[in-house]
mmCIF file of all heavy atoms in Angstrom:
data_model
loop_
_atom_site.group_PDB
_atom_site.id
_atom_site.type_symbol
_atom_site.label_atom_id
_atom_site.label_comp_id
_atom_site.label_asym_id
_atom_site.label_seq_id
_atom_site.Cartn_x
_atom_site.Cartn_y
_atom_site.Cartn_z
ATOM 1 N N ASP A 81 114.626 -195.415 49.968
ATOM 2 C CA ASP A 81 114.094 -194.033 49.866
ATOM 3 C C ASP A 81 115.030 -193.047 50.629
ATOM 4 O O ASP A 81 115.171 -191.896 50.250
ATOM 5 C CB ASP A 81 112.695 -193.975 50.525
ATOM 6 C CG ASP A 81 111.644 -194.573 49.631
ATOM 7 O OD1 ASP A 81 111.905 -194.708 48.401
ATOM 8 O OD2 ASP A 81 110.593 -194.968 50.173
ATOM 9 N N GLU A 82 115.593 -193.576 51.717
ATOM 10 C CA GLU A 82 116.439 -192.699 52.579
ATOM 11 C C GLU A 82 117.535 -192.035 51.762
ATOM 12 O O GLU A 82 117.861 -190.856 51.962
ATOM 13 C CB GLU A 82 117.071 -193.490 53.715
ATOM 14 C CG GLU A 82 116.098 -194.045 54.795
ATOM 15 C CD GLU A 82 115.421 -195.323 54.414
ATOM 16 O OE1 GLU A 82 115.573 -195.793 53.219
ATOM 17 O OE2 GLU A 82 114.703 -195.891 55.240
ATOM 18 N N VAL A 83 118.156 -192.807 50.827
ATOM 19 C CA VAL A 83 119.288 -192.298 50.031
ATOM 20 C C VAL A 83 118.737 -191.258 49.039
ATOM 21 O O VAL A 83 119.367 -190.187 48.871
ATOM 22 C CB VAL A 83 119.962 -193.468 49.290
ATOM 23 C CG1 VAL A 83 121.001 -192.954 48.317
ATOM 24 C CG2 VAL A 83 120.627 -194.419 50.315
ATOM 25 N N ILE A 84 117.637 -191.510 48.441
ATOM 26 C CA ILE A 84 117.023 -190.561 47.496
ATOM 27 C C ILE A 84 116.766 -189.212 48.127
ATOM 28 O O ILE A 84 117.122 -188.144 47.688
ATOM 29 C CB ILE A 84 115.734 -191.152 46.836
ATOM 30 C CG1 ILE A 84 116.072 -192.458 46.079
ATOM 31 C CG2 ILE A 84 115.027 -190.135 45.940
ATOM 32 C CD1 ILE A 84 114.868 -193.235 45.581
ATOM 33 N N LEU A 85 116.099 -189.307 49.302
ATOM 34 C CA LEU A 85 115.760 -188.070 50.008
ATOM 35 C C LEU A 85 116.996 -187.334 50.584
ATOM 36 O O LEU A 85 117.006 -186.127 50.562
ATOM 37 C CB LEU A 85 114.781 -188.421 51.184
ATOM 38 C CG LEU A 85 113.419 -188.944 50.722
ATOM 39 C CD1 LEU A 85 112.666 -189.537 51.880
ATOM 40 C CD2 LEU A 85 112.601 -187.841 50.056
ATOM 41 N N ALA A 86 117.983 -188.092 50.998
ATOM 42 C CA ALA A 86 119.181 -187.448 51.525
ATOM 43 C C ALA A 86 119.958 -186.714 50.427
ATOM 44 O O ALA A 86 120.728 -185.788 50.704
ATOM 45 C CB ALA A 86 120.111 -188.471 52.187
ATOM 46 N N ALA A 87 119.734 -187.085 49.169
ATOM 47 C CA ALA A 87 120.358 -186.369 48.049
ATOM 48 C C ALA A 87 119.466 -185.260 47.584
ATOM 49 O O ALA A 87 119.681 -184.667 46.526
ATOM 50 C CB ALA A 87 120.612 -187.368 46.890
ATOM 51 N N ILE A 196 125.791 -186.362 50.044
ATOM 52 C CA ILE A 196 124.996 -186.971 51.187
ATOM 53 C C ILE A 196 125.837 -186.901 52.448
ATOM 54 O O ILE A 196 126.877 -187.587 52.501
ATOM 55 C CB ILE A 196 124.526 -188.363 50.801
ATOM 56 C CG1 ILE A 196 123.534 -188.344 49.653
ATOM 57 C CG2 ILE A 196 123.937 -189.100 52.035
ATOM 58 C CD1 ILE A 196 122.908 -189.626 49.221
ATOM 59 N N VAL A 198 126.198 -187.203 56.819
ATOM 60 C CA VAL A 198 125.635 -187.968 57.910
ATOM 61 C C VAL A 198 124.338 -187.303 58.450
ATOM 62 O O VAL A 198 123.315 -188.022 58.610
ATOM 63 C CB VAL A 198 126.703 -188.107 59.071
ATOM 64 C CG1 VAL A 198 126.051 -188.695 60.310
ATOM 65 C CG2 VAL A 198 127.872 -188.933 58.639
ATOM 66 N N GLU A 199 124.388 -186.026 58.551
ATOM 67 C CA GLU A 199 123.192 -185.342 59.041
ATOM 68 C C GLU A 199 122.005 -185.537 58.135
ATOM 69 O O GLU A 199 120.913 -185.793 58.521
ATOM 70 C CB GLU A 199 123.523 -183.852 59.213
ATOM 71 C CG GLU A 199 122.524 -183.133 60.077
ATOM 72 C CD GLU A 199 122.654 -181.619 59.954
ATOM 73 O OE1 GLU A 199 123.698 -181.132 59.390
ATOM 74 O OE2 GLU A 199 121.747 -180.933 60.431
ATOM 75 N N LYS A 200 122.250 -185.314 56.785
ATOM 76 C CA LYS A 200 121.142 -185.465 55.838
ATOM 77 C C LYS A 200 120.584 -186.894 55.802
ATOM 78 O O LYS A 200 119.383 -187.114 55.724
ATOM 79 C CB LYS A 200 121.666 -185.154 54.410
ATOM 80 C CG LYS A 200 121.764 -183.681 54.131
ATOM 81 C CD LYS A 200 122.139 -183.489 52.669
ATOM 82 C CE LYS A 200 122.132 -182.053 52.241
ATOM 83 N NZ LYS A 200 122.495 -181.914 50.839
ATOM 84 N N LEU A 201 121.500 -187.862 55.899
ATOM 85 C CA LEU A 201 121.055 -189.226 55.900
ATOM 86 C C LEU A 201 120.242 -189.576 57.167
ATOM 87 O O LEU A 201 119.236 -190.278 57.115
ATOM 88 C CB LEU A 201 122.257 -190.196 55.689
ATOM 89 C CG LEU A 201 121.935 -191.601 55.227
ATOM 90 C CD1 LEU A 201 121.024 -191.670 54.014
ATOM 91 C CD2 LEU A 201 123.213 -192.358 54.861
ATOM 92 N N LYS A 202 120.686 -189.005 58.295
ATOM 93 C CA LYS A 202 119.953 -189.256 59.532
ATOM 94 C C LYS A 202 118.574 -188.653 59.437
ATOM 95 O O LYS A 202 117.564 -189.230 59.918
ATOM 96 C CB LYS A 202 120.704 -188.624 60.731
ATOM 97 C CG LYS A 202 121.791 -189.538 61.283
ATOM 98 C CD LYS A 202 122.293 -189.068 62.602
ATOM 99 C CE LYS A 202 123.213 -190.080 63.184
ATOM 100 N NZ LYS A 202 123.585 -189.867 64.542
ATOM 101 N N ASN A 203 118.497 -187.439 58.868
ATOM 102 C CA ASN A 203 117.204 -186.791 58.723
ATOM 103 C C ASN A 203 116.258 -187.617 57.848
ATOM 104 O O ASN A 203 115.076 -187.763 58.143
ATOM 105 C CB ASN A 203 117.358 -185.392 58.091
ATOM 106 C CG ASN A 203 117.883 -184.385 59.123
ATOM 107 O OD1 ASN A 203 117.852 -184.651 60.298
ATOM 108 N ND2 ASN A 203 118.464 -183.318 58.624
ATOM 109 N N SER A 204 116.782 -188.136 56.750
ATOM 110 C CA SER A 204 115.917 -188.891 55.858
ATOM 111 C C SER A 204 115.521 -190.235 56.487
ATOM 112 O O SER A 204 114.413 -190.729 56.299
ATOM 113 C CB SER A 204 116.530 -189.069 54.477
ATOM 114 O OG SER A 204 117.635 -189.915 54.499
ATOM 115 N N ILE A 205 116.402 -190.810 57.273
ATOM 116 C CA ILE A 205 116.052 -192.077 57.972
ATOM 117 C C ILE A 205 114.891 -191.793 58.885
ATOM 118 O O ILE A 205 113.906 -192.520 58.968
ATOM 119 C CB ILE A 205 117.273 -192.597 58.772
ATOM 120 C CG1 ILE A 205 118.320 -193.204 57.801
ATOM 121 C CG2 ILE A 205 116.876 -193.671 59.788
ATOM 122 C CD1 ILE A 205 119.623 -193.599 58.417
ATOM 123 N N ASP A 206 114.983 -190.655 59.603
ATOM 124 C CA ASP A 206 113.918 -190.271 60.536
ATOM 125 C C ASP A 206 112.594 -190.059 59.834
ATOM 126 O O ASP A 206 111.560 -190.582 60.235
ATOM 127 C CB ASP A 206 114.373 -189.017 61.242
ATOM 128 C CG ASP A 206 113.367 -188.522 62.278
ATOM 129 O OD1 ASP A 206 112.966 -189.365 63.103
ATOM 130 O OD2 ASP A 206 112.874 -187.398 62.186
ATOM 131 N N LEU A 207 112.666 -189.347 58.686
ATOM 132 C CA LEU A 207 111.453 -189.085 57.907
ATOM 133 C C LEU A 207 110.774 -190.356 57.404
ATOM 134 O O LEU A 207 109.570 -190.526 57.525
ATOM 135 C CB LEU A 207 111.884 -188.199 56.710
ATOM 136 C CG LEU A 207 110.825 -187.393 55.971
ATOM 137 C CD1 LEU A 207 111.411 -186.064 55.632
ATOM 138 C CD2 LEU A 207 110.448 -188.071 54.685
ATOM 139 N N VAL A 208 111.577 -191.280 56.863
ATOM 140 C CA VAL A 208 110.961 -192.487 56.323
ATOM 141 C C VAL A 208 110.503 -193.393 57.437
ATOM 142 O O VAL A 208 109.465 -194.047 57.322
ATOM 143 C CB VAL A 208 112.028 -193.257 55.356
ATOM 144 C CG1 VAL A 208 111.291 -194.455 54.758
ATOM 145 C CG2 VAL A 208 112.473 -192.304 54.289
ATOM 146 N N ASN A 209 111.206 -193.394 58.544
ATOM 147 C CA ASN A 209 110.733 -194.172 59.719
ATOM 148 C C ASN A 209 109.374 -193.682 60.185
ATOM 149 O O ASN A 209 108.515 -194.448 60.570
ATOM 150 C CB ASN A 209 111.742 -194.098 60.883
ATOM 151 C CG ASN A 209 112.857 -195.133 60.693
ATOM 152 O OD1 ASN A 209 112.807 -196.049 59.900
ATOM 153 N ND2 ASN A 209 113.946 -194.990 61.495
ATOM 154 N N LYS A 210 109.216 -192.345 60.176
ATOM 155 C CA LYS A 210 107.916 -191.758 60.626
ATOM 156 C C LYS A 210 106.764 -192.227 59.690
ATOM 157 O O LYS A 210 105.650 -192.556 60.139
ATOM 158 C CB LYS A 210 107.990 -190.267 60.655
ATOM 159 C CG LYS A 210 108.695 -189.753 61.919
ATOM 160 C CD LYS A 210 108.652 -188.246 61.974
ATOM 161 C CE LYS A 210 109.312 -187.811 63.280
ATOM 162 N NZ LYS A 210 110.195 -186.667 63.074
ATOM 163 N N ARG A 212 106.773 -194.987 57.925
ATOM 164 C CA ARG A 212 106.567 -196.414 58.201
ATOM 165 C C ARG A 212 105.699 -196.555 59.484
ATOM 166 O O ARG A 212 104.802 -197.400 59.555
ATOM 167 C CB ARG A 212 107.863 -197.173 58.457
ATOM 168 C CG ARG A 212 108.690 -197.324 57.206
ATOM 169 C CD ARG A 212 109.889 -198.265 57.462
ATOM 170 N NE ARG A 212 110.669 -198.261 56.220
ATOM 171 C CZ ARG A 212 111.879 -197.744 56.092
ATOM 172 N NH1 ARG A 212 112.453 -197.170 57.129
ATOM 173 N NH2 ARG A 212 112.492 -197.825 54.954
ATOM 174 N N ILE A 330 120.879 -199.190 57.137
ATOM 175 C CA ILE A 330 119.944 -199.269 56.008
ATOM 176 C C ILE A 330 119.969 -200.663 55.394
ATOM 177 O O ILE A 330 118.949 -201.281 55.192
ATOM 178 C CB ILE A 330 120.286 -198.168 54.921
ATOM 179 C CG1 ILE A 330 120.036 -196.787 55.476
ATOM 180 C CG2 ILE A 330 119.479 -198.407 53.681
ATOM 181 C CD1 ILE A 330 120.545 -195.637 54.595
#
Side-chain angles (χ1 to χ4, degrees):
D81 285 338
E82 291 83 352
V83 172
I84 298 172
L85 294 167
I196 294 184
V198 170
E199 196 194 348
K200 280 185 174 180
L201 198 48
K202 277 195 171 187
N203 285 342
S204 67
I205 288 173
D206 181 53
L207 197 141
V208 183
N209 277 345
K210 281 187 177 134
R212 289 191 184 110
I330 292 171

